[in-house]
């Protein structure tokens, strides 16, 4: 029977000792053959990668390279992560939801296969890094795997708290449960400390997108949004021209408030995405350990002006007071108070489950010269890191490999094809848009390591209400500190660590 643990703050000290005691046991590895089974060798690929259909049946035929009969005699594998972001469930009996059931059965399959007991520790968002840092300070093998928010995990790398993935012998990056472009993006100087694989279902759920109301689009005769996207015409200018004058005082109180209809509902957290959607690099790293700051450019000046204009120079965009008091844009959209809303793919299941007539499209391009649509996963999605205090890397890597493989075979398709494509969308065109969205999803190592010390959130700062700071002045005030931050990143990855 699966044992799930969720710590309560009032019992933190006692329970930490209990979990540490369980995790400190040295599992006995019992292999059914003599193979060392290190990563490498021929790689099977899913049917989709070879021109066929990507189905549950085709994925079940893609095997990992773990030795047959590998057993660990009831050892405990403890995962520190976030509940409610679709990476795992805490239920002790199989839940009824299709995705939750798949997550439960994934863990059960891995537990039975390797003869282990998987325990999840799930504090809240704010306490999650505290739990990890406390375990590092104690240097007791409390957790075997940390599923931390990607926007925070980079800090742990530069603090020396994470193993390189090359130190995990059973992890095979040639397998499809580790997307090749993500592995490449998170590798610098041949080193990778953070991984995003099929276990991280949250990276699908937290992918940034744009929702639009099909009824309101028809009412205001804006054209077929799917055709606009597919023809490559979905650009900033197209969005701005649709939104700028699209406002209706629906409650007739002569005040622009949340009871009215707008072309676009926004939140402060929507702003950083534009840098990636508009394909503007912030920094580039070279193979020789040097880097170039590319944030300051004429294009970035233009992006700042465009976003400010979209957010503040139109009557068709909702008020953005500040990060703490933004209007609830997704609620306004759900209540048919806006035509467009910047959101997350997973909100189709969370907040829009009862909202029928909407569509999903990507963020707009910078202009029509930009060939592709781009997006990225919000920083609240998770990445995988392995604490430095882990001693039995063969054991830990075997479980990680089995969990990611089983996630890819079952849970990922369950979420993508069943939850999103069947329950979360309202038309066939939006299903095609999901494929377009995920094809253009960017992973950026500097974003994951930003820690609010780089340029990743600079656009959001510059585009706050009443912030009229010119980009050149802002850049000059930040460049020395940002350069030192990126230098520390390069020193770590190119150093002898």
């Amino acid at each position: 029977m699966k044992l799930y643990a969720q710590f309560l703050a009032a019992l933190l000290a006692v329970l930490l000792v209990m979990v540490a005691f369980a995790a400190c046991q040295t599992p006995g590895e019992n292999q059914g053959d003599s193979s060392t089974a290190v990563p490498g060798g021929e790689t099977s690929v899913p049917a989709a990668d070879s021109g066929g259909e990507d189905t549950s049946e085709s994925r079940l035929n893609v095997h990992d390279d773990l030795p047959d009969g590998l057993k660990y005699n009831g050892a405990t594998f403890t995962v520190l992560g976030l509940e409610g972001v679709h990476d795992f469930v805490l239920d002790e009996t199989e839940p009824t939801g299709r995705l939750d059931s798949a997550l439960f059965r994934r863990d059960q399959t891995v537990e039975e296969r390797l003869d282990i007991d998987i325990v999840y520790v799930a504090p809240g968002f704010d306490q999650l890094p505290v739990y990890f840092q406390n375990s590092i300070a104690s240097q007791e093998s409390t957790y075997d795997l940390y599923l931390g928010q990607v926007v925070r995990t980079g800090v742990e790398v530069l603090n020396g708290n994470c193993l390189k993935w090359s130190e995990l012998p059973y992890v095979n990056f040639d397998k499809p449960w580790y997307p090749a472009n993500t592995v490449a993006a998170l590798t610098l100087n041949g080193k990778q400390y953070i991984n995003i694989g099929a276990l991280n279902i949250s990276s699908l759920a937290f992918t940034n997108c744009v929702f639009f109301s099909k009824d309101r689009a028809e009412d205001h005769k804006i054209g077929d949004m799917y055709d606009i996207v597919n023809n490559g015409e979905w650009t900033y200018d197209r969005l701005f021209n649709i939104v700028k004058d699209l406002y209706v005082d629906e409650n007739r109180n002569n005040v622009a408030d949340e009871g009215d209809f707008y072309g676009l509902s926004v939140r402060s957290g929507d702003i950083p995405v534009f840098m990636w959607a508009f394909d503007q690099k912030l920094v580039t790293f070279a193979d020789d350990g040097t880097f170039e700051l590319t944030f300051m450019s004429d294009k970035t000046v233009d992006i700042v002006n465009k976003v400010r204009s979209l957010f503040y120079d139109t009557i068709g965009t909702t008020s953005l007071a500040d990060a703490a008091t933004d209007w609830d844009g997704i609620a306004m959209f759900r209540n048919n108070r806006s035509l467009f809303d910047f959101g997350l793919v997973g909100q189709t299941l969370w907040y829009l489950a009862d909202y029928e007539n909407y569509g999903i499209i990507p963020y707009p391009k910078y202009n029509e010269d930009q060939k592709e649509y781009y997006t990225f996963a919000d920083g609240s999605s998770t990445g995988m890191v392995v604490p430095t205090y882990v001693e039995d890397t063969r054991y830990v890597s075997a479980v990680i490999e089995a969990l990611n493989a089983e996630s890819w075979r079952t849970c990922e398709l369950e979420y993508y094809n069943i939850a999103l494509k069947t329950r979360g969308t309202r038309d066939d065109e939006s299903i095609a848009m999901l494929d377009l969205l995920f094809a253009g999803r960017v992973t950026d190592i500097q974003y994951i390591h930003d820690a609010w010390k780089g340029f990743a959130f600079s656009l959001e700062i510059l585009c706050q209400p009443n912030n009229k700071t010119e980009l050149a002045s802002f850049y000059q005030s930040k460049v020395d500190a940002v350069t030192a931050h990126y230098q520390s990143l390069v020193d770590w990855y190119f150093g002898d660590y």
Side-chain angles (χ1 to χ4, degrees):
M1 177 179 178
K2 181 182 299 295
L3 172 64
Y4 290 97
Q6 185 170 17
F7 286 10
L8 298 174
L11 300 178
L12 175 60
V14 174
L15 291 179
L16 275 174
V17 172
M18 293 172 64
V19 174
F21 177 79
C24 283
Q25 300 177 63
T26 303
E29 181 177 294
N30 181 10
Q31 296 182 190
D33 60 29
S34 60
S35 171
T36 57
V38 296
E42 289 295 315
T43 302
S44 300
V45 295
D49 288 346
S50 53
E53 185 179 0
D54 191 7
T55 65
S56 298
E57 291 75 16
S58 67
R59 289 194 174 203
L60 288 174
N61 293 323
V62 181
H63 303 291
D64 55 59
D65 293 335
L66 296 179
D68 293 336
L70 187 62
K71 301 290 183 181
Y72 287 100
N73 305 321
T76 298
F77 186 87
T78 306
V79 181
L80 176 64
L82 285 170
E83 184 184 9
V85 297
H86 304 306
D87 290 342
F88 56 84
V89 292
L90 291 170
D91 305 68
E92 293 191 27
T93 57
E94 185 167 348
T96 56
R98 294 188 65 165
L99 176 60
D100 286 349
S101 178
L103 293 168
F104 181 90
R105 285 184 277 108
R106 172 202 66 195
D107 291 351
Q108 196 172 57
T109 297
V110 172
E111 286 179 323
E112 292 174 356
R113 177 186 178 185
L114 298 179
D115 187 16
I116 61 172
D117 185 33
I118 300 173
V119 176
Y120 288 103
V121 178
F125 277 87
D126 291 337
Q127 287 298 307
L128 185 69
V130 176
Y131 276 44
F132 182 75
Q133 291 156 11
N134 286 346
S135 76
I136 293 292
S138 70
Q139 281 301 298
E140 296 178 346
S141 297
T142 311
Y143 311 115
D144 299 293
L145 178 65
Y146 177 36
L147 301 178
Q149 293 172 276
V150 291
V151 76
R152 294 180 174 184
T153 51
V155 173
E156 305 303 339
V157 172
L158 300 189
N159 285 338
N161 297 334
C162 309
L163 288 180
K164 295 189 291 289
W165 281 80
S166 59
E167 299 177 73
L168 302 171
Y170 282 129
V171 171
N172 186 348
F173 281 141
D174 291 332
K175 295 296 185 180
W177 36 91
Y178 306 116
N181 59 342
T182 301
V183 172
L186 295 177
T187 301
L188 190 59
N189 190 33
K191 299 176 182 178
Q192 181 179 354
Y193 294 90
I194 301 170
N195 191 10
I196 301 173
L199 182 62
N200 305 103
I201 301 295
S202 58
S203 68
L204 299 177
F206 284 85
T207 297
N208 289 275
C209 66
V210 178
F211 300 118
F212 73 95
S213 166
K214 293 165 68 175
D215 291 334
R216 292 291 196 169
E218 184 175 349
D219 291 344
H220 294 278
K221 297 179 172 42
I222 67 167
D224 189 315
M225 285 306 305
Y226 298 122
D227 283 346
I228 291 171
V229 172
N230 288 326
N231 292 335
E233 300 168 355
W234 180 229
T235 63
Y236 167 86
D237 286 343
R238 191 65 174 262
L239 171 64
F240 183 81
N241 288 330
I242 293 172
V243 165
K244 62 180 181 179
D245 298 317
L246 192 51
Y247 166 76
V248 180
D249 184 14
E250 291 198 336
N251 59 12
R252 300 181 180 180
N253 65 355
N254 297 317
V255 176
D257 57 26
E258 291 177 270
D260 298 333
F261 172 74
Y262 298 83
L264 174 65
S265 50
V266 296
R267 291 160 301 279
S268 182
D270 301 327
I271 298 174
V273 187
F274 283 102
M275 295 301 286
W276 287 270
F278 290 169
D279 195 25
Q280 174 58 38
K281 304 293 188 294
L282 308 183
V283 59
T284 56
F285 300 99
D287 293 339
D288 62 358
T290 60
F291 62 92
E292 177 185 3
L293 299 181
T294 51
F295 171 77
M296 183 62 199
S297 67
D298 291 340
K299 183 177 178 180
T300 303
V301 172
D302 190 47
I303 291 172
V304 172
N305 290 335
K306 285 181 182 298
V307 175
R308 283 175 172 172
S309 185
L310 177 66
F311 275 52
Y312 306 114
D313 295 344
T314 78
I315 60 173
T317 300
T318 59
S319 174
L320 182 69
D322 56 51
T325 59
D326 292 347
W327 293 358
D328 188 349
I330 192 67
M332 292 188 67
F333 179 77
R334 186 178 61 236
N335 294 327
N336 226 14
R337 297 292 182 189
S338 61
L339 169 61
F340 295 112
D341 182 72
F342 297 121
L344 305 172
V345 167
Q347 289 173 324
T348 60
L349 304 180
W350 308 329
Y351 301 124
L352 301 179
D354 299 324
Y355 183 42
E356 289 296 329
N357 210 19
Y358 70 92
I360 305 172
I361 54 177
Y363 265 64
K365 299 186 294 184
Y366 177 67
N367 56 32
E368 288 195 34
D369 292 335
Q370 182 177 316
K371 296 186 181 303
E372 307 293 340
Y373 296 100
Y374 297 113
T375 187
F376 76 111
D378 183 81
S380 293
S381 62
T382 63
M384 298 179 284
V385 299
V386 177
T388 49
Y389 52 61
V390 163
E391 296 179 356
D392 192 342
T393 55
R394 294 177 65 83
Y395 167 61
V396 168
S397 62
V399 180
I400 290 172
E401 186 74 357
L403 282 171
N404 278 278
E406 194 63 28
S407 270
W408 181 80
R409 295 188 193 105
T410 57
C411 304
E412 189 177 83
L413 273 186
E414 186 70 42
Y415 187 76
Y416 187 48
N417 289 339
I418 306 300
L420 290 182
K421 287 190 172 183
T422 303
R423 291 174 48 221
T425 57
R426 296 295 183 265
D427 52 54
D428 291 340
E429 290 90 347
S430 281
I431 290 175
M433 286 296 118
L434 285 176
D435 295 331
L436 182 66
L437 268 171
F438 291 122
R441 191 173 52 169
V442 175
T443 302
D444 192 338
I445 193 170
Q446 73 80 29
Y447 173 77
I448 289 175
H449 281 290
D450 186 84
W452 293 272
K453 296 179 181 179
F455 285 131
F457 298 96
S458 294
L459 185 63
E460 183 177 8
I461 295 170
L462 286 162
C463 294
Q464 289 301 301
N466 303 315
N467 188 344
K468 305 298 183 183
T469 306
E470 292 185 0
L471 180 63
S473 173
F474 174 86
Y475 180 81
Q476 287 302 319
S477 71
K478 299 290 186 181
V479 64
D480 289 344
V482 171
T483 299
H485 172 67
Y486 288 137
Q487 187 62 55
S488 68
L489 191 158
V490 167
D491 288 345
W492 182 264
Y493 275 86
F494 284 82
D496 188 18
Y497 299 107

